[in-house]
Amino acid sequence: MLGKYLELGLYRAEYLRSHGYHVLFPESKPEAIAIVSGGAYDIVILSYSLSDEDAIELHELIEQNCPNCPVITLTEQRWQDTKIYSDKVVLVSEGPEALLEAVRSFESRGLEAKGLRRVK
């Protein structure tokens, strides 16, 4: 049986795919590090299910490999976590529609849907 966070993440990834986005959804830390280290993405979505150490490590890799890449953080709390900088914070309780709206807000700034990558 899939864990709760993995299942919700897969659902959100599929929701974005159903709206025309190319989404990568790593299911392990080594897979996430490999994707982030490659730097071939337009937006990164960090999940509230990450440990503080993993979120910080991935965020540092994002800044090194794709410094202008927007970061969206999914969170259970309305306040923004100050351990990492996020361009947008989305509450998980708002559902996948709020995540889609956040992604689209970056598109209006010139990013194209075809390149969206998701990092768990």
Side-chain angles (χ1 to χ4, degrees), residues 2-119:
L2 291 174
K4 173 183 146 184
Y5 297 127
L6 179 59
E7 193 171 309
L8 286 171
L10 289 170
Y11 173 72
R12 284 183 174 84
E14 194 54 41
Y15 185 82
L16 292 174
R17 286 184 188 110
S18 73
H19 285 82
Y21 294 93
H22 176 74
V23 180
L24 295 179
F25 185 87
E27 295 184 30
S28 68
K29 182 179 175 181
E31 190 179 348
I33 288 171
I35 291 170
V36 170
S37 295
Y41 42 84
D42 295 318
I43 296 174
V44 174
I45 302 167
L46 295 175
S47 172
Y48 63 99
S49 64
L50 289 169
S51 70
D52 290 346
E53 297 80 25
D54 288 348
I56 291 168
E57 180 180 357
L58 287 171
H59 196 269
E60 288 172 355
L61 285 171
I62 293 163
E63 288 178 337
Q64 292 169 8
N65 294 292
C66 193
N68 296 318
C69 179
V71 175
I72 298 172
T73 302
L74 287 171
T75 183
E76 291 183 312
Q77 313 265 337
R78 183 151 303 277
W79 50 270
Q80 185 169 344
D81 190 340
T82 57
K83 292 179 220 52
I84 61 169
Y85 172 78
S86 295
D87 296 287
K88 243 186 211 311
V89 176
V90 176
L91 289 173
V92 294
S93 62
E94 295 175 331
E97 299 82 12
L99 179 58
L100 178 62
E101 183 180 320
V103 168
R104 286 182 172 162
S105 75
F106 291 108
E107 274 183 41
S108 66
R109 298 181 198 178
L111 297 176
E112 294 191 19
K114 65 178 172 53
L116 177 65
R117 306 291 197 261
R118 186 199 189 277
V119 175

